[in-house]
């Protein structure tokens, strides 16, 4: 929501320079030069083993510094402890921490990790084995089944290239590799592992990478990756974060930044293919820590190996290893550690609509009515900050309020009541900063109550920390304080009672975002206007006026249409601004201090406190923001989730949040942030969704048609189709941009109706996939190699994806085309059928096949051996759809095999709750549906479609032994269609036979 961030930062920096320095700026002098760090690890001595002690599930190793301190970026810690724990057959925990336990570690009451099994035999039965040397201490991880193979993780110097190595990425001095010792200092930790040359690495986000879902390790024409873990409010940068000035008190610093925006997920999956056996195995590596981190994926010139290097500005080296061996197993094993995803309510899978710029409650209502008139299903209506927005009132834009003129509470009550009566839902936004009261006549209960409960973040001297966000000067909830949950629950409950009877909550700017550096309200004139009106999109000085991507008004005139006189208007006439590269930053600045750690992270904002809460802000438990910054979002998510459970007991909380962290999926879903209305961002949304499957936050999606800038008809048409086959499906755009509700263009409306109808018919399949995610951690959306791990041609594919194991989606991601290329996995051993026609695809083996894809059509294909329970009559809302009778779609393999399951419950209660699973199995001439569970299924099975049923027309069809007369058979498709069945599914098996 910050398109003009540069101007905002410049404005507030001008304010800061014209006033007294903030508490933050007063503390930016560093120690005397003779105590400055060396900024080079080449002389660091590493560590040696002092003692070893075995215990039931592993061993404890004591380490001592192996020589004189190097103090490269801080003070060397003399004594370390290494705890090696075999937690399960597939999970190994290696935790390296300072023996005095002075370094920050994440408290278990914030993020609880499973401790595994209490089984002494795991040390001899585990899939993974731990090995180490003593002088220096180095370790490596092997598979028990392959004791002589390549280690999965290997910190030995002998396995890494010789150092020193000049910058591997020539434009970034920070990629110089001075040495690979284990470094453990109070403000700098370093650990390096060898990787196979050109390793297939996935994860390490949140990121939008031009290299794709598979990360760039610096081979095959790539340069490598620097992934920075420092949550920041940046609108979806690609590879290099957006060029922004970083204002330090000393000077302007420019930094080279890896692509990181809202969340931090230091988990990666590596997939290894054995050329000799033609088989693959996957494993996973997770670093559990909140400290700001650079993770390097590099391949030095002429090196026989690639490498991964972790550089942290605090915390400990707490690693978990997962043995897989399949990609899905790695993801499930990670979920078993950090916690499985929250259960989604059934209505959450409907189509959602939002706009930052709806003028008032009547304008919002009007969008609902126009969607109904266009017969485009709408499940959830959202409001952005317009809900509390009055541009002329500087006391506006406050959480938990409604504008008294535009969105008065009584009218909101009526409007939301209308939605509820139509089985629709309403969701408002909640921002991170809470407005500070600036005069005695002002009234704002959340701030006053927060003062009473003492829940705001503090400056080091104990005063309120004051940032600047949309309401002006703001305070920030301290999630470590004892009473913050009380405040948050009261505020949400009071808001609902006042008329905003929401069905879920949207958490935004919770990195958290702040528009100034430091506690900028400390000592300032708090009654002064702090957010000039021109900073809001849609106001004079900040209108969204650019034409849609690819449109050239000098050639085609001012209309902006998809075609003019039948000629397509998208062309290479618009020039993108190149992204600027910057140097490593202020590592050698003698004035650096704890607020600007000696090791300069590749943060695109440079100064770590730019555009967020300062690193020296203090929490109730004495922890400073530097150590816990990346966890702000998850702590808000957890508190909000628990508050919603308190307000609506027994109902599944529905949350969408921007900033996330490991285990966020237990509390929330995610949207991919403030993307841009360009074709590239539609493509990038696929890798974003795939990443979050790995991160165990599977309910995720993009702002469909794009948030920033102006979309056009063709882009929105294609994007509405694509997002219909993603978990979270919402159309959302910025103030003053062209309206992009799907009814605005006839072609988009038609495409949307078709895609949403398929989505709603597939609701039992979606619902089952997410039940499996919540029960087992299985990813609902899958990269092609997840299901076909031994096919190297699939390892880099991210322009297609699978829904579960059985649906292949091949979207159009470029303009001006009527065909699309896609690969069909299985190397010729799998039969793929078209969703729409049921025809078998004549697919090329291990290479692309060209598919017809006229505007309004998205290619979806069905895998053989699959069976789907569908809603036979998808309706306008999820509730109405769930009343529909069922149908079966079975796609038999050549031997007649097919299998599928469907998990059914009431769609809203927090489990454990009554549920029934239908198991669908097939063999030649037979399909059987078996129910198991205690949820009563009211709807009947109305229709059955079997693909690949027989090569000749059957002579006999029966259901549960009774002859069926109402059926049809298409020889060319080998398709058997049985209709008008009306059979119940609740108590006994349904057996369908034919011969």
């Amino acid at each position: 929501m910050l398109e003009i961030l540069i101007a905002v930062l410049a404005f507030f920096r001008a304010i800061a320079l014209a006033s007294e320095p903030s508490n933050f700026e007063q503390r930016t002098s560093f120690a005397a030069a003779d105590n400055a760090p060396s900024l080079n690890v080449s002389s660091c001595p590493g560590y040696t083993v002092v003692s070893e002690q075995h215990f039931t599930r592993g061993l404890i190793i004591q380490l001592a510094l192996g020589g004189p301190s190097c103090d490269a970026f801080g003070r060397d810690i003399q004594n370390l402890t290494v705890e090696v724990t075999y937690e399960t057959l597939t999970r190994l925990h290696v935790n390296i921490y300072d023996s005095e336990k002075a370094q920050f570690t994440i408290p278990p009451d914030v993020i609880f990790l499973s401790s595994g099994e209490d089984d002494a035999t795991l040390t001899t039965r585990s899939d993974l084995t731990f090995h180490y040397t003593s002088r220096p201490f180095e370790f490596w991880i092997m598979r028990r089944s392959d004791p002589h193979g390549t280690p999965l993780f290997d910190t030995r110097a002998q396995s890494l290239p010789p150092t020193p190595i000049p910058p591997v990425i020539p434009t970034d001095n920070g990629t110089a590799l001075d040495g690979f010792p284990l470094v453990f200092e109070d403000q700098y930790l370093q650990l390096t592992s060898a990787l196979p040359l050109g390793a297939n690495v996935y994860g390490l986000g949140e990121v939008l990478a031009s290299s794709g879902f598979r990360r760039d390790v610096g081979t095959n024409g790539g340069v490598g990756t620097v992934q920075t873990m420092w949550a920041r409010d940046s609108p979806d940068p690609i590879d290099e974060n957006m060029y922004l000035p970083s204002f330090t008190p000393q000077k302007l610093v420019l930094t080279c930044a890896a692509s990181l925006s809202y969340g931090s997920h230091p988990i990666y999956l590596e997939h290894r293919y054995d050329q000799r056996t033609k088989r693959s195995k996957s494993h996973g590596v997770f670093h559990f820590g909140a400290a700001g981190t650079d993770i390097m994926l590099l391949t030095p010139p002429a090196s026989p190996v690639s490498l991964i290097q972790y550089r942290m500005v605090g915390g400990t080296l707490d690693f978990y290893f997962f043995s897989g061996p399949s990609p899905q197993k790695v993801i499930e094993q990670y979920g078993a550690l950090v916690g499985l995803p929250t259960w989604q309510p059934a209505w959450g899978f409907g189509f959602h609509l939002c706009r930052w710029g709806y003028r008032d409650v009547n304008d919002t209502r009007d969008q609902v009515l126009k969607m109904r008139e266009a017969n485009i299903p709408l499940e959830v209506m959202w409001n952005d900050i317009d809900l509390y927005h009055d541009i002329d009132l500087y006391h506006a834009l406050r959480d938990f309020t409604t504008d008294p003129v535009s969105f008065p509470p009584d009218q909101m009550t009526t409007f939301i009541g209308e939605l509820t009566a139509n089985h629709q839902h309403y969701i408002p936004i909640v921002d991170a900063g809470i407005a500070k009261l600036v005069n005695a006549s002002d009234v704002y209960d959340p701030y006053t109550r927060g003062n009473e409960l003492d829940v705001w973040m503090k400056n080091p001297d104990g005063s309120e920390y004051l940032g600047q966000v949309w309401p002006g000067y703001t305070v920030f909830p301290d999630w470590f304080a004892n009473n913050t949950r009380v405040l948050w629950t009261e505020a949400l409950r009071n808001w609902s009672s006042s008329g905003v009877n929401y069905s879920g909550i949207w958490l935004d700017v919770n990195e958290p975002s702040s528009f100034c550096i430091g506690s900028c309200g400390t000592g300032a004139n708090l009654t002064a206007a702090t957010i000039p009106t021109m900073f809001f999109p849609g106001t004079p000085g900040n209108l969204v006026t650019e034409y849609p991507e690819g449109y050239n008004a000098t050639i085609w005139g001012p209309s902006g249409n998809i075609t003019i006189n039948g000629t397509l208007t998208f062309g290479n006439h618009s020039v993108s601004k190149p992204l600027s590269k910057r140097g490593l930053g202020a590592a050698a600045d003698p004035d650096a201090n704890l607020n600007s750690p000696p090791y300069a992270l590749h943060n695109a904002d440079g100064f770590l406190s730019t555009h967020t809460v300062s690193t020296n802000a203090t929490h109730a438990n004495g922890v400073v923001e530097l150590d816990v910054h990346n966890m702000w979002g998850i702590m808000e998510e957890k508190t909000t989730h628990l508050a919603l459970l308190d307000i609506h007991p027994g109902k599944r909380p529905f949350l969408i949040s921007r900033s996330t962290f490991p285990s966020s999926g237990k509390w929330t879903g995610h949207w991919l942030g403030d993307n841009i209305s360009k074709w590239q961002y539609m493509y990038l949304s696929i890798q974003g969704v795939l990443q979050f499957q790995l991160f165990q936050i599977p309910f995720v999606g993009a702002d469909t048609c794009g948030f920033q800038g102006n979309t056009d008809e063709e882009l929105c048409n294609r994007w509405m189709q694509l997002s219909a086959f993603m978990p979270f499906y919402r159309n959302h755009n910025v103030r003053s941009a062209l309206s992009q509700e799907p009814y605005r263009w006839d072609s988009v409306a038609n495409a949307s109706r078709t895609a949403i109808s398929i989505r709603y018919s597939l609701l039992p399949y979606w619902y089952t996939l997410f039940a499996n995610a919540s029960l087992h951690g299985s990813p609902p959306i899958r990269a092609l190699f997840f299901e076909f791990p031994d096919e190297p041609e699939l390892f880099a594919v991210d322009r297609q994806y699978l829904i579960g194991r059985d649906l292949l989606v091949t979207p159009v991601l470029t303009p001006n085309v009527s065909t699309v290329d896609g690969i069909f996995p299985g190397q010729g051993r799998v039969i793929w059928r078209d969703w729409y026609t049921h025809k078998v695809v004549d697919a090329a083996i291990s290479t692309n096949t060209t598919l017809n894809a006229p505007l309004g059509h998205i290619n979806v294909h069905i895998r053989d051996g699959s069976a789907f329970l569908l809603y036979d009559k998808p309706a306008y809302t999820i509730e109405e759809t769930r009343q529909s009778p069922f149908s079966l779609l079975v796609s038999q393999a050549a031997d007649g095999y097919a299998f599928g399951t469907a998990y059914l419950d009431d769609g809203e209660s927090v489990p454990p709750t009554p549920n029934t699973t239908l198991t669908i199995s097939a063999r030649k001439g037979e399909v059987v549906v078996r129910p198991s569970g205690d949820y009563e299924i009211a709807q009947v099975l109305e229709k059955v479609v079997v693909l690949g049923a027989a090569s000749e027309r059957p002579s006999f069809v029966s259901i549960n032994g009774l002859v069926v007369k109402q059926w049809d058979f298409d020889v060319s498709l080998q398709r058997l269609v049985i209709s008008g069945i009306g059979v119940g599914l609740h108590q006994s098996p349904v057996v369908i036979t034919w011969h």
Side-chain angles (χ1 to χ4, degrees), residues 41-42 73 153-155 160-161 163 165 168 173-183 188-195 201 204 217 225-229 266 268 285 287 293-300 306-312 317 319 599 601-602:
V41 301
S42 59
F73 296 95
F153 197 83
D154 190 354
T155 70
L160 292 159
T163 57
I165 300 171
V168 179
N173 290 334
T175 61
L177 303 170
D178 297 323
F180 299 128
L182 168 61
V183 181
Y188 183 74
L189 290 76
Q190 178 180 298
L191 186 70
T192 312
S193 170
L195 293 171
V201 175
L204 301 176
V217 299
T225 296
V226 183
Q227 182 64 53
T228 302
M229 302 294 172
Y268 74 84
V285 180
H287 173 247
T293 303
D294 279 345
I295 301 177
M296 312 276 191
L297 292 169
L298 301 172
T299 304
S306 301
L307 61 87
I308 183 168
Q309 183 173 86
Y310 295 82
R311 301 176 180 179
M312 290 161 255
L317 296 166
F319 283 90
Y599 175 75
L601 290 172
H602 284 67

Side-chain angles (χ1 to χ4, degrees), residues 90 96 226 235 261 267 276-277 293 439 528 598 630 734 786 859 891 941 957:
T90 58
I96 305 174
V226 183
S261 47
I267 163 80
R276 181 179 56 84
T277 64
T293 303
N439 60 64
N630 287 330
V734 73
F786 284 15
N859 276 279
S891 182
L941 177 63
V957 177

Side-chain angles (χ1 to χ4, degrees), residues 328 689-690 693 698 725-727 762 765-770 772-773 778-788 800-809 825 832 860-863 866-868 899 901:
Q328 179 167 325
V689 171
L690 289 172
Q693 308 306 298
F725 295 91
M726 289 296 190
L762 279 166
Y765 185 60
W766 280 111
Y767 197 73
T768 302
L769 289 173
F770 273 81
N772 288 333
S778 309
I781 302 295
R782 301 174 188 177
L784 272 55
F785 82 91
F786 284 15
E787 285 294 320
F788 299 88
Q800 298 170 271
Y801 60 93
L802 290 160
I803 304 175
R805 66 178 298 276
D806 294 327
L807 285 179
L808 174 65
V809 181
W832 294 95
V860 182
H861 289 88
I862 307 163
R863 182 180 182 177
S866 60
F868 302 87
F899 182 84
T901 62

Side-chain angles (χ1 to χ4, degrees), residues 1 206-209 232-242 259-263 579 658 670-677 680-682 684-685 688 692 701-703 706-708 719:
M1 298 170 66
E206 178 175 7
V207 65
L208 296 179
R232 56 187 291 265
D233 176 357
S234 177
D236 285 357
I238 304 171
D239 292 332
E240 299 287 339
N241 278 356
M242 286 193 173
S259 173
L260 171 82
S261 47
Y262 309 113
L579 296 167
R658 196 166 78 173
H670 175 65
W671 98 103
L672 296 173
D674 296 347
N675 62 358
I676 303 172
S677 300
Q680 183 182 18
Y681 282 83
M682 179 167 61
L684 291 170
S685 72
F692 276 85
D703 275 348
F707 174 74
Q708 301 184 79
W719 210 330

Side-chain angles (χ1 to χ4, degrees), residues 365 409-419 499:
R365 176 188 283 110
D410 59 335
Q411 292 187 34
M412 287 301 296
T413 300
T414 301
F415 168 58
I416 296 173
E418 294 166 359
L419 291 175

Side-chain angles (χ1 to χ4, degrees), residues 353-668:
L353 182 62
C354 186
R355 173 85 188 269
W356 184 13
Y358 289 141
R359 297 183 304 274
D360 52 34
V361 65
N362 290 325
D363 189 15
T364 309
R365 176 188 283 110
D366 191 45
Q367 307 310 315
V368 177
L369 296 176
K370 287 181 177 178
M371 290 288 288
R372 173 73 73 169
E373 291 168 0
N375 195 31
I376 303 172
L378 173 62
E379 186 69 17
V380 189
M381 195 68 201
W382 298 53
N383 273 129
D384 208 312
I385 59 173
D386 313 283
L387 181 64
Y388 9 99
H389 186 181
D390 188 330
I391 202 66
D392 296 321
L393 297 176
Y394 292 110
H395 64 273
L397 298 173
R398 294 177 175 178
D399 282 350
F400 315 116
T401 65
T402 60
D403 186 274
V405 176
S406 302
F407 294 89
D410 59 335
Q411 292 187 34
M412 287 301 296
T413 300
T414 301
F415 168 58
I416 296 173
E418 294 166 359
L419 291 175
T420 303
N422 291 323
H423 307 297
Q424 294 168 298
H425 302 267
Y426 177 77
I427 294 177
I429 193 170
V430 173
D431 281 351
I434 302 297
K436 177 175 173 60
L437 290 183
V438 297
N439 60 64
S441 63
D442 200 355
V443 176
Y444 182 47
D445 288 339
Y447 174 78
T448 304
R449 181 65 170 141
N451 269 358
E452 293 173 358
L453 296 172
D454 191 20
V455 300
W456 308 129
M457 292 174 66
K458 303 286 198 305
N459 289 309
D461 63 5
S463 60
E464 277 182 340
Y465 180 92
L466 296 178
Q468 282 173 317
V469 201
W470 296 123
Y473 289 115
T474 59
V475 293
F476 295 89
D478 180 359
W479 308 110
F480 289 97
N482 292 331
N483 295 319
T484 309
R485 183 178 163 191
V486 173
L487 168 74
W488 209 243
T489 303
E490 286 182 4
L492 285 166
R493 189 190 305 278
N494 292 340
W495 202 23
S496 180
S497 299
S498 74
V500 186
N501 186 21
Y502 47 78
S503 296
I505 291 294
W506 171 18
L507 300 175
D508 196 8
V509 293
N510 56 346
E511 292 72 33
S513 181
S514 179
F515 302 163
C516 66
I517 300 176
S519 187
C520 52
T522 301
N525 176 9
L526 299 182
T527 63
T530 60
I531 306 292
T533 60
M534 68 175 184
F535 289 160
F536 290 96
T539 56
N542 189 24
L543 298 175
V544 180
T545 58
E546 292 182 356
Y547 279 97
E549 180 185 16
Y551 187 89
N552 190 330
T554 63
I555 297 175
W556 301 108
S559 72
N561 289 335
I562 182 175
T563 64
I564 293 178
N565 297 326
T567 303
L568 294 171
T569 56
F570 187 102
N572 297 318
H573 309 301
S574 60
V575 180
S576 299
K577 237 183 180 181
L579 296 167
S580 301
K581 294 183 179 295
R582 291 176 277 168
L584 182 60
D589 190 337
D591 293 324
N593 72 351
L594 294 178
N595 290 317
S596 185
Y599 175 75
L601 290 172
H602 284 67
N603 179 40
D605 288 334
F607 205 39
L608 293 183
S609 297
T610 302
H611 203 53
T612 188
V613 169
S614 295
T615 51
N616 74 335
T618 307
H619 295 268
N621 57 355
V623 171
V624 294
E625 181 70 4
L626 177 65
D627 288 323
V628 298
H629 170 75
N630 287 330
M631 298 196 303
W632 206 96
I634 187 179
M635 297 185 75
E636 183 190 37
E637 292 147 15
K638 180 178 179 180
T639 304
T640 307
H641 183 107
L642 295 174
L644 293 182
L645 276 177
D646 190 87
I647 295 166
H648 303 295
K651 303 295 184 184
R652 299 174 195 175
F654 182 89
L655 285 178
I656 292 296
S657 178
R658 196 166 78 173
S659 184
T660 56
F661 192 73
S663 85
S664 280
K666 290 175 62 175
W667 315 110
T668 187

